[in-house]
Amino acid sequence: MKALVYHGPGKKSWEEKPKPLIKESTDAIVKILKTTICGTDLHIMKGDVPTVTDGRIIGHEGVGVIDEAGSAVTNFKKGDHVLISCITSCGKCEYCKKAMYSHCEKGGWILGNLIDGTQAEFVRIPYADNSLYLIPANADEEALVMLSDILPTGFECGVLNGQVKPGDTIAIVGAGPIGLAVLLTAQFYSPAEIIMIDQDDNRLNVAKTFGATHTINSANENAVEKVMSITNGKGVDAAIEAVGLPATFELCAAIVDAGGHIANIGVHGKSVTLHLETLWSKNITITTRLVDTVSTPMLFKNFQSHKLDPKKLITHHFKLDDIVKAYETFENAAKEKALKVILTN
Amino acid sequence: MKALVYHGPGKKSWEEKPKPLIKESTDAIVKILKTTICGTDLHIMKGDVPTVTDGRIIGHEGVGVIDEAGSAVTNFKKGDHVLISCITSCGKCEYCKKAMYSHCEKGGWILGNLIDGTQAEFVRIPYADNSLYLIPANADEEALVMLSDILPTGFECGVLNGQVKPGDTIAIVGAGPIGLAVLLTAQFYSPAEIIMIDQDDNRLNVAKTFGATHTINSANENAVEKVMSITNGKGVDAAIEAVGLPATFELCAAIVDAGGHIANIGVHGKSVTLHLETLWSKNITITTRLVDTVSTPMLFKNFQSHKLDPKKLITHHFKLDDIVKAYETFENAAKEKALKVILTN
Amino acid sequence: MKALVYHGPGKKSWEEKPKPLIKESTDAIVKILKTTICGTDLHIMKGDVPTVTDGRIIGHEGVGVIDEAGSAVTNFKKGDHVLISCITSCGKCEYCKKAMYSHCEKGGWILGNLIDGTQAEFVRIPYADNSLYLIPANADEEALVMLSDILPTGFECGVLNGQVKPGDTIAIVGAGPIGLAVLLTAQFYSPAEIIMIDQDDNRLNVAKTFGATHTINSANENAVEKVMSITNGKGVDAAIEAVGLPATFELCAAIVDAGGHIANIGVHGKSVTLHLETLWSKNITITTRLVDTVSTPMLFKNFQSHKLDPKKLITHHFKLDDIVKAYETFENAAKEKALKVILTN
Amino acid sequence: MKALVYHGPGKKSWEEKPKPLIKESTDAIVKILKTTICGTDLHIMKGDVPTVTDGRIIGHEGVGVIDEAGSAVTNFKKGDHVLISCITSCGKCEYCKKAMYSHCEKGGWILGNLIDGTQAEFVRIPYADNSLYLIPANADEEALVMLSDILPTGFECGVLNGQVKPGDTIAIVGAGPIGLAVLLTAQFYSPAEIIMIDQDDNRLNVAKTFGATHTINSANENAVEKVMSITNGKGVDAAIEAVGLPATFELCAAIVDAGGHIANIGVHGKSVTLHLETLWSKNITITTRLVDTVSTPMLFKNFQSHKLDPKKLITHHFKLDDIVKAYETFENAAKEKALKVILTN
């Protein structure tokens, strides 16, 4: 089969690889129908993720069809269409029993990281019963690719951890795909005001059409001052970090109201400064999280009932064969006005 | 001043009464601008509420303007426009400190019950600082009358207690004003499916325009069977009782899924049968509640940011002087297609 | 092997049965070391549980040693000592993923009910990885038998659902083994006052030594009046029903304070009357639950650190061969002053 | 009257000051019976708290008797014995209604800070109804002084925010009075293991007698390694910071398990480094909090029912007249083996 293979920093190729085989009775082999590229994949390609080694097929998102199910798989059979979760869950370790699949002792984020991933014609999915979701007939499978990672990540790490609730004023720092996924799913809880902060006017304009009530271009405006002006000097109930830089985290800490939440989503490469000399008495909560994908069934239901339109996040389409070109587009997201790309096998 | 006075079962009159005076330093006198009639007022008029005695001015909803503020009132001054909460809260008893204002040792539901109420030109509001809410300039005061009672009641007793959450399938039994208030505010939490059950086709049609995804006329259809068909035999995550009869409560118990919630709002006059012989092992939760109005500030924020449109509930308008006629209309709600009426002073 | 077999109402025998075999790769065969008898087993023997049919080996509690593990079992191997949960969990259905194992689509309470149980020399445990717990060397295995059912039941259905918290005043209605399990585990949350209500002075005396601060013999005293006197007329924060009769449920409803919780544990054979005509405005919560055994790991930890002494519940010891005699003792619990019996293989 | 007055860094005197008078109808004047010294008072004396200015009477803890109650005070009358909360709550601002009294718009921590405090013969308490608690006859008033600040602070900022629950393994960093208050109140939730970390062997020995299951002297041992060894390499469920230094905060971050909580109590003078480059994916929660004293009624109940023994924290007694000597002892806490001192008027 063909697959996108990482060969060290800056080197990837769309090349022939052996089709994966069942290794454990709980595995399934899935033929990929549609997949996408994640910001994390770009980090991998730069060599920023040391757990990914030369020869690895990357990718951790997608929908497909069961090609073969291991003998202990009971939820799925050959021919079933399935959504692939970016997080693999064994369903029987201490962390899985606590619904913290991100830290599954045998799974977690392994696809396209510790084992071969989804940017390929076929992929082996361990613990298939707990790591795949059945897609009913007639569902829009392109839209469902957004449920592999980006929507549960935005929802769990941003919205749930930010404890967004009706009437809240929230700020989302970063209007890339993840920030926009937060924006879409935060509205499940009907906050009164949603302030979107970014440095790219195009993305801020997109945010407005997605439901942001205020936008701030922090390249041109003092974001702290503007947030304080919008909130009558109080700050926000939840500040959601969707970038991964010290400056954006510290911006969140500067705009959160007493009693508020800072929900970190960003993948950080450096430490940040936490101003406990002022924050110690502010009754704030800071959270970090690798997505657990516990919200996937809920997202599926709200997608089915038209309460969530994941396709809004999709800007470009490619054949899977053209994945190298798709990477180029995604790497130049600002110029290409790209959010998420869909690769069809 | 003029006021609507209860004179025993079936007897009321719009008559001259003395203007109320400040009794405690924490009182305020409010000139009524707009008020409405509650289903509870109809019960009072029938003699169903023994705490209401001959001579009482009834009514517990409304907006007005501060005519006089007691010396210990600090949140309001003469001329401020205010929303009157149906629940009076002293702010300093054990229950108020637990945010259970409904059971305030000195307040609770006393307006138009134990003390004179709002269907009058003026009303005395005890513990004004904790029982009134400031209305900003330019707010739509007619809409805000819906925040005195019906919207917090639907939201707190139905939505909060029913623990409605994104992805849920819920049923609301009763499509009167309270059931419709549940319908409007349940959508703050983006349930996937909302089933509205009533016996009045007009109200079910209204429910559809308010966001119900399914309606069942239980006069013509077997409601249990139809709910089970919609939910693949599972039942609903939350069944919300907005009528107050044994049959409607027992319907809720028959349609709730394992792990689900029955949230009672209805004012019951009789006991009901609880089938613990089947329910004991179903992991269900049943709640009762007199509204606490703790959600009023949130409702206010979502009203201001256009996430909630209370005016949808208003079908008729009268001058306060015509309140007797307004009662006639409200008493014939089905025929008049009446939900809430607005009385303007 | 030898096993206790149900042969219709009133008929049981300790007889030879075939040793169970692995049926699915996720099964384990466990050699029983110690087991016990549950109140539910007495109901079964009377014919009250129609799902139990002639020929069934009963029992759903115990500790044992892995005799054989199916090929897909990864958490256990031959020779491991294990605690058997009364609830079987597949770990991969909708309910298991919500931690509601009681309603597992393929498991739940099936041991000694729909499949052969633990009152035998060997038992087959489906979904062994999710339904057994490893016992470390040197642990007191007799004490651990109390973690199969009675302690998680008391804790989850009574204490967790009753939302017992520091400072609370709670009442436990029924001082049998389940009520006493509530009493032991309620103290994990340090309620200020614990009122134990029963009609057996011996059990009430036991309750005092277990930590009850007040006891009421409802055969001799007016329980409602006494609770009201203890609580200054307010009632209790949580009333926990551990009997299963209309009278005891209705007692709970009569003694709960506004804002309080009624947590039902009892297995009811009849419906009860719920006085919504007074309760509708009391802001109460009523819960039902079949134990999920989600608390087993926590109970294990607190047992290991000596925060919980399950052996207090054990009053009698028998050889497994003498199980018929053990039933006689347990059936005459009041006369024998029996709480839980231990049967050793 | 006599009072302890701050006169700039390093300067204090026990001197004559005018007896306070009622300023608002919601005030009460309280004659101090017993008070104590807080670690914060030492910071004030060093000049570390810029809001405290020359001439201020300090102190924010104590019990007393109502000398005069303002006309709007309804919960107390002259002669009532009362516990003084360190936090003043108006009961009617947005934050008080959210039970976040620490950020009360007119109160919060003002006693002995923005207004005169309790280290005096009399003190004026604003919003007396919401800021005092009635002491019943025969209660041990010396013990109750510990409920003014140190016990609610340890409980709310450490135990509640750390979400300590049955079965948890927790670490408390700092075995001073606050850390020991955490230790006493953490046991309300029955954690399995409590690891106490400090550099003073005497305090660690005290911690053992208070219920710590492990102690680590971080002056002699590698605390991270030892915690990891105790927890099988996992880390703790909650790490509670009770010192206020970068090193102790960063120790907490180094020992918390995935999914765990870092609850900051310490008053920090400097920023800390937060290692988001490793923590971003660990699903942790960090909280800060100025005590709200919402738990005071619960602490009172558990004290009354002997579930909490505050007197364990008291090591020294002085006459109020000898307060300068008491400061000397408290300033040399390690040498004097001092925890809390009681000053009697």
Side-chain angles (χ1 to χ4, degrees):
Chain A
M1 68 167 190
K2 282 299 199 63
L4 189 81
V5 182
Y6 170 75
H7 288 299
K11 296 182 209 149
K12 60 175 174 284
S13 71
W14 178 245
E15 64 186 47
E16 196 64 29
K17 288 280 273 185
K19 186 181 158 188
L21 301 173
I22 296 280
K23 284 188 181 173
E24 304 285 342
S25 60
T26 44
D27 287 351
I29 303 301
V30 176
K31 179 177 189 298
I32 293 295
L33 295 173
K34 291 177 188 295
T35 184
T36 184
I37 305 171
C38 181
T40 304
D41 297 329
L42 300 187
H43 280 291
I44 290 171
M45 285 305 172
K46 284 184 199 151
D48 289 350
V49 184
T51 48
V52 180
T53 52
D54 186 355
R56 175 68 63 233
I57 300 171
I58 69 168
H60 49 268
E61 298 165 278
V63 299
V65 56
I66 300 281
D67 186 62
E68 188 184 353
S71 61
V73 174
T74 58
N75 286 350
F76 307 102
K77 60 179 189 306
K78 186 177 167 69
D80 283 347
H81 283 226
V82 290
L83 167 67
I84 300 166
S85 175
C86 66
I87 295 294
T88 301
S89 161
C90 77
K92 54 194 190 183
C93 72
E94 182 186 339
Y95 292 103
C96 283
K97 286 186 174 188
K98 290 195 287 190
M100 212 167 100
Y101 309 154
S102 58
H103 288 71
C104 171
E105 290 172 3
K106 293 169 180 172
W109 175 43
I110 57 173
L111 276 183
N113 176 11
L114 303 177
I115 65 171
D116 285 338
T118 60
Q119 292 172 5
E121 293 183 283
F122 293 89
V123 64
R124 181 180 68 90
I125 302 294
Y127 305 106
D129 278 340
N130 288 70
S131 308
L132 297 173
Y133 295 88
L134 189 67
I135 300 177
N138 303 320
D140 181 334
E141 300 191 340
E142 182 175 313
L144 284 170
V145 174
M146 302 298 109
L147 270 69
S148 285
D149 178 347
I150 192 164
L151 283 166
T153 294
F155 181 70
E156 296 177 15
C157 307
V159 180
L160 282 188
N161 275 16
Q163 296 188 27
V164 177
K165 57 185 186 310
D168 273 4
T169 296
I170 69 170
I172 303 168
V173 180
I178 283 287
L180 292 169
V182 175
L183 176 57
L184 288 178
T185 56
Q187 292 173 74
F188 288 163
Y189 290 104
S190 307
E193 310 288 349
I194 308 178
I195 305 165
M196 205 80 193
I197 304 173
D198 201 293
Q199 304 191 338
D200 177 332
D201 277 329
N202 172 55
R203 289 185 161 185
L204 290 172
N205 286 334
V206 169
K208 267 187 196 159
T209 70
F210 282 21
T213 58
H214 304 76
T215 58
I216 301 176
N217 186 323
S218 55
N220 310 328
E221 302 178 273
N222 182 318
V224 175
E225 280 177 16
K226 186 132 184 233
V227 169
M228 288 303 164
S229 148
I230 293 166
T231 59
N232 299 316
K234 291 204 159 182
V236 296
D237 297 298
I240 299 172
E241 207 283 346
V243 178
L245 295 172
T248 45
F249 179 84
E250 288 163 31
L251 170 58
C252 289
I255 61 176
V256 72
D257 188 13
H261 295 81
I262 300 172
N264 186 78
I265 314 175
V267 177
H268 289 258
K270 293 184 195 168
S271 64
V272 302
T273 299
L274 183 65
H275 289 288
L276 280 184
E277 75 276 21
T278 54
L279 295 172
W280 75 268
S281 62
K282 272 197 77 176
N283 298 35
I284 61 158
T285 302
I286 301 167
T287 54
T288 72
R289 187 166 182 173
L290 178 60
V291 64
D292 294 298
T293 66
V294 288
S295 64
T296 307
M298 177 283 284
L299 293 167
F300 216 114
K301 286 178 191 169
N302 270 10
F303 163 67
Q304 291 282 85
S305 66
H306 311 292
K307 300 284 188 288
L308 174 67
D309 181 3
K311 292 185 82 163
K312 286 181 172 176
L313 294 167
I314 301 170
T315 52
H316 291 71
H317 293 78
F318 296 88
K319 287 190 184 169
L320 183 53
D321 267 341
D322 291 331
I323 189 166
V324 173
K325 211 166 91 189
Y327 264 86
E328 277 168 30
T329 298
F330 193 62
E331 284 161 357
N332 293 287
K335 192 185 113 201
E336 302 283 351
K337 302 195 175 183
L339 296 173
K340 292 292 279 187
V341 304
I342 286 289
L343 297 152
T344 301
N345 188 17
Chain B
M1 68 167 190
K2 283 298 200 63
L4 189 80
V5 182
Y6 170 76
H7 288 300
K11 294 182 209 148
K12 62 175 172 286
S13 71
W14 178 245
E15 64 188 45
E16 195 63 29
K17 288 279 273 184
K19 187 182 157 188
L21 302 172
I22 296 279
K23 284 187 181 173
E24 303 285 342
S25 60
T26 45
D27 287 350
I29 303 302
V30 176
K31 178 176 191 299
I32 293 295
L33 295 174
K34 292 176 188 293
T35 184
T36 183
I37 306 171
C38 179
T40 304
D41 296 329
L42 301 186
H43 280 292
I44 290 172
M45 286 304 172
K46 285 183 198 151
D48 289 350
V49 184
T51 47
V52 180
T53 53
D54 186 354
R56 174 69 61 234
I57 300 171
I58 69 169
H60 49 269
E61 299 165 276
V63 298
V65 56
I66 300 282
D67 186 62
E68 187 184 355
S71 63
V73 173
T74 57
N75 286 349
F76 306 103
K77 61 181 188 305
K78 187 176 166 72
D80 283 348
H81 283 226
V82 291
L83 167 67
I84 300 167
S85 176
C86 65
I87 295 294
T88 301
S89 162
C90 77
K92 52 195 191 182
C93 72
E94 182 185 337
Y95 293 103
C96 282
K97 286 187 176 187
K98 290 195 287 190
M100 212 168 100
Y101 310 152
S102 58
H103 288 70
C104 171
E105 291 171 3
K106 294 170 179 171
W109 174 43
I110 57 172
L111 276 183
N113 177 11
L114 303 177
I115 65 170
D116 284 338
T118 59
Q119 291 171 6
E121 293 182 282
F122 293 89
V123 63
R124 182 180 66 90
I125 302 294
Y127 305 107
D129 278 338
N130 288 71
S131 308
L132 297 173
Y133 295 88
L134 189 67
I135 300 177
N138 304 319
D140 181 334
E141 300 191 342
E142 182 175 314
L144 283 170
V145 174
M146 302 299 108
L147 269 67
S148 285
D149 178 347
I150 193 163
L151 284 166
T153 295
F155 180 69
E156 295 177 17
C157 307
V159 179
L160 281 188
N161 275 16
Q163 295 187 28
V164 177
K165 57 186 186 308
D168 272 5
T169 296
I170 70 170
I172 303 167
V173 180
I178 282 287
L180 292 169
V182 175
L183 176 55
L184 289 178
T185 55
Q187 293 173 73
F188 288 162
Y189 291 104
S190 307
E193 310 287 348
I194 307 177
I195 305 165
M196 204 82 192
I197 305 173
D198 200 294
Q199 303 191 340
D200 177 332
D201 278 329
N202 172 55
R203 289 185 162 184
L204 290 173
N205 286 334
V206 170
K208 268 188 197 159
T209 69
F210 282 21
T213 58
H214 303 76
T215 58
I216 301 175
N217 186 322
S218 55
N220 310 329
E221 302 178 273
N222 182 318
V224 175
E225 282 177 15
K226 187 135 183 230
V227 169
M228 287 303 164
S229 148
I230 292 167
T231 59
N232 299 316
K234 291 205 158 179
V236 297
D237 297 298
I240 298 170
E241 208 281 347
V243 179
L245 295 172
T248 45
F249 181 83
E250 289 163 31
L251 171 57
C252 288
I255 61 175
V256 71
D257 188 13
H261 295 82
I262 300 172
N264 186 78
I265 313 176
V267 178
H268 289 258
K270 292 183 193 167
S271 66
V272 302
T273 299
L274 183 65
H275 289 287
L276 279 184
E277 73 278 21
T278 54
L279 294 172
W280 74 269
S281 63
K282 272 197 76 175
N283 298 34
I284 61 158
T285 302
I286 302 167
T287 53
T288 72
R289 186 167 184 173
L290 178 60
V291 64
D292 295 298
T293 65
V294 287
S295 63
T296 306
M298 178 283 283
L299 293 166
F300 216 113
K301 286 178 190 169
N302 270 10
F303 163 66
Q304 291 281 84
S305 65
H306 310 292
K307 301 284 189 288
L308 173 66
D309 180 3
K311 292 184 84 163
K312 287 181 172 177
L313 294 166
I314 302 170
T315 53
H316 292 71
H317 292 79
F318 296 89
K319 288 189 184 169
L320 184 53
D321 266 342
D322 291 331
I323 188 166
V324 174
K325 213 168 88 189
Y327 264 85
E328 277 168 30
T329 297
F330 193 62
E331 283 161 359
N332 293 287
K335 193 185 111 201
E336 301 283 351
K337 302 195 176 182
L339 295 173
K340 292 291 279 186
V341 304
I342 286 289
L343 297 151
T344 302
N345 188 18
Chain C
M1 69 167 190
K2 282 299 199 63
L4 189 81
V5 182
Y6 171 75
H7 289 300
K11 296 181 207 148
K12 62 174 173 287
S13 72
W14 178 245
E15 64 187 47
E16 196 64 27
K17 290 279 274 184
K19 184 181 159 188
L21 301 172
I22 296 279
K23 284 188 181 173
E24 304 285 343
S25 60
T26 45
D27 287 350
I29 304 301
V30 176
K31 180 177 190 296
I32 293 295
L33 295 174
K34 291 176 188 294
T35 184
T36 183
I37 306 171
C38 180
T40 304
D41 296 329
L42 300 186
H43 280 291
I44 291 171
M45 286 303 173
K46 285 183 198 152
D48 290 349
V49 184
T51 48
V52 181
T53 53
D54 185 356
R56 174 69 62 233
I57 300 171
I58 71 169
H60 50 267
E61 299 165 278
V63 299
V65 56
I66 301 282
D67 187 61
E68 187 184 354
S71 62
V73 173
T74 58
N75 286 349
F76 306 103
K77 62 180 188 304
K78 187 176 166 70
D80 283 348
H81 284 225
V82 290
L83 167 67
I84 300 167
S85 175
C86 65
I87 295 293
T88 300
S89 162
C90 76
K92 53 192 190 184
C93 72
E94 181 185 337
Y95 292 103
C96 282
K97 286 187 175 187
K98 290 195 287 190
M100 212 167 101
Y101 310 154
S102 57
H103 288 71
C104 171
E105 290 172 2
K106 294 169 179 172
W109 175 42
I110 57 173
L111 276 184
N113 177 10
L114 302 177
I115 66 170
D116 285 337
T118 59
Q119 292 172 6
E121 292 182 283
F122 293 90
V123 64
R124 180 181 68 89
I125 303 294
Y127 305 106
D129 278 339
N130 287 71
S131 308
L132 298 173
Y133 294 88
L134 189 68
I135 300 177
N138 304 320
D140 181 334
E141 299 191 341
E142 182 175 314
L144 283 170
V145 174
M146 302 298 110
L147 270 68
S148 286
D149 178 347
I150 192 164
L151 283 166
T153 294
F155 181 69
E156 296 176 16
C157 308
V159 179
L160 282 188
N161 275 14
Q163 296 188 27
V164 177
K165 57 187 185 308
D168 272 4
T169 296
I170 69 170
I172 303 168
V173 180
I178 283 285
L180 292 169
V182 175
L183 175 56
L184 288 177
T185 56
Q187 292 172 76
F188 287 162
Y189 291 103
S190 307
E193 310 287 348
I194 308 177
I195 305 166
M196 204 82 191
I197 304 174
D198 200 295
Q199 303 192 339
D200 178 333
D201 277 330
N202 172 54
R203 289 185 161 186
L204 290 172
N205 286 334
V206 170
K208 268 188 197 158
T209 70
F210 282 21
T213 58
H214 303 77
T215 58
I216 301 175
N217 187 323
S218 54
N220 310 329
E221 303 178 273
N222 181 318
V224 175
E225 282 177 15
K226 187 133 184 232
V227 169
M228 288 302 164
S229 148
I230 293 166
T231 59
N232 298 317
K234 291 205 159 180
V236 296
D237 296 299
I240 299 171
E241 207 282 349
V243 179
L245 295 173
T248 45
F249 180 84
E250 289 162 30
L251 170 58
C252 288
I255 61 176
V256 71
D257 188 12
H261 295 81
I262 300 172
N264 186 79
I265 314 176
V267 178
H268 289 260
K270 291 184 195 166
S271 65
V272 303
T273 299
L274 183 65
H275 290 287
L276 279 185
E277 73 277 21
T278 53
L279 294 173
W280 74 268
S281 62
K282 273 196 77 176
N283 299 33
I284 61 159
T285 302
I286 302 167
T287 54
T288 72
R289 187 166 182 174
L290 178 61
V291 65
D292 294 297
T293 66
V294 287
S295 64
T296 307
M298 178 282 285
L299 293 166
F300 216 113
K301 286 178 190 169
N302 270 10
F303 163 67
Q304 291 282 85
S305 65
H306 310 292
K307 301 284 187 291
L308 173 67
D309 180 3
K311 293 185 83 163
K312 287 181 171 177
L313 294 166
I314 302 169
T315 53
H316 291 73
H317 293 79
F318 296 88
K319 288 189 182 168
L320 183 54
D321 265 343
D322 290 331
I323 189 166
V324 173
K325 214 168 87 189
Y327 264 85
E328 277 168 29
T329 298
F330 193 62
E331 284 160 357
N332 293 287
K335 194 186 111 201
E336 301 285 352
K337 301 194 176 183
L339 294 173
K340 292 291 281 184
V341 304
I342 286 287
L343 296 151
T344 301
N345 188 20
Chain D
M1 68 166 191
K2 283 298 199 65
L4 189 80
V5 182
Y6 170 75
H7 288 299
K11 295 181 208 149
K12 61 174 173 286
S13 72
W14 178 244
E15 65 187 46
E16 196 65 27
K17 290 278 274 184
K19 186 180 158 188
L21 302 172
I22 296 279
K23 284 188 183 173
E24 304 285 341
S25 60
T26 44
D27 286 350
I29 304 301
V30 176
K31 180 179 191 296
I32 293 295
L33 295 173
K34 291 177 188 292
T35 185
T36 183
I37 305 171
C38 180
T40 303
D41 296 329
L42 301 187
H43 280 291
I44 290 171
M45 287 303 173
K46 284 184 199 152
D48 290 350
V49 184
T51 48
V52 181
T53 52
D54 185 356
R56 174 68 62 234
I57 300 172
I58 70 168
H60 50 268
E61 298 165 278
V63 299
V65 57
I66 300 282
D67 186 61
E68 186 185 355
S71 62
V73 173
T74 58
N75 286 349
F76 306 104
K77 60 179 189 306
K78 187 176 166 70
D80 282 347
H81 283 225
V82 290
L83 167 66
I84 300 167
S85 176
C86 65
I87 296 293
T88 300
S89 162
C90 76
K92 53 192 190 183
C93 71
E94 182 185 338
Y95 292 103
C96 282
K97 286 187 174 186
K98 291 195 287 190
M100 213 167 100
Y101 309 154
S102 57
H103 288 70
C104 171
E105 290 172 3
K106 293 169 180 172
W109 174 43
I110 56 172
L111 276 183
N113 176 11
L114 302 178
I115 64 171
D116 284 339
T118 60
Q119 292 172 5
E121 292 182 283
F122 293 89
V123 64
R124 181 181 67 90
I125 302 293
Y127 305 106
D129 278 339
N130 287 71
S131 308
L132 298 173
Y133 295 88
L134 189 68
I135 300 177
N138 304 319
D140 181 334
E141 300 190 341
E142 180 175 315
L144 283 170
V145 175
M146 302 298 110
L147 269 68
S148 285
D149 178 348
I150 192 164
L151 284 165
T153 294
F155 181 69
E156 296 177 16
C157 308
V159 179
L160 282 188
N161 274 14
Q163 296 189 27
V164 177
K165 58 185 186 308
D168 272 5
T169 296
I170 70 170
I172 303 167
V173 180
I178 282 286
L180 293 169
V182 175
L183 176 55
L184 288 178
T185 57
Q187 293 173 75
F188 288 162
Y189 291 103
S190 307
E193 311 287 350
I194 307 177
I195 305 165
M196 204 82 190
I197 305 173
D198 201 294
Q199 302 192 339
D200 177 332
D201 277 330
N202 171 54
R203 290 186 160 184
L204 290 172
N205 286 335
V206 170
K208 267 189 198 158
T209 69
F210 281 21
T213 59
H214 303 77
T215 58
I216 301 175
N217 186 323
S218 54
N220 310 329
E221 302 178 273
N222 181 317
V224 175
E225 281 177 14
K226 187 132 184 233
V227 169
M228 288 302 164
S229 148
I230 293 166
T231 60
N232 300 315
K234 291 203 159 181
V236 297
D237 296 299
I240 298 170
E241 208 281 350
V243 179
L245 295 173
T248 45
F249 180 83
E250 288 162 31
L251 171 57
C252 288
I255 61 176
V256 72
D257 188 12
H261 295 80
I262 299 171
N264 186 79
I265 313 176
V267 177
H268 289 258
K270 291 184 195 168
S271 65
V272 303
T273 299
L274 183 66
H275 289 288
L276 280 184
E277 74 277 23
T278 53
L279 295 172
W280 74 269
S281 63
K282 274 197 78 176
N283 298 35
I284 61 158
T285 302
I286 301 167
T287 54
T288 72
R289 186 167 183 173
L290 178 61
V291 65
D292 294 299
T293 65
V294 288
S295 64
T296 307
M298 178 283 284
L299 293 166
F300 215 113
K301 287 178 189 170
N302 270 11
F303 163 67
Q304 291 281 84
S305 66
H306 310 292
K307 301 284 188 288
L308 172 67
D309 181 2
K311 292 185 83 163
K312 287 181 171 175
L313 293 167
I314 302 169
T315 52
H316 292 72
H317 294 77
F318 296 89
K319 288 189 184 168
L320 183 52
D321 266 341
D322 291 330
I323 189 166
V324 174
K325 212 167 89 188
Y327 264 87
E328 278 169 29
T329 297
F330 193 61
E331 284 161 357
N332 293 288
K335 193 186 112 201
E336 301 284 350
K337 301 195 176 183
L339 296 173
K340 292 291 279 185
V341 305
I342 287 287
L343 296 151
T344 302
N345 187 18

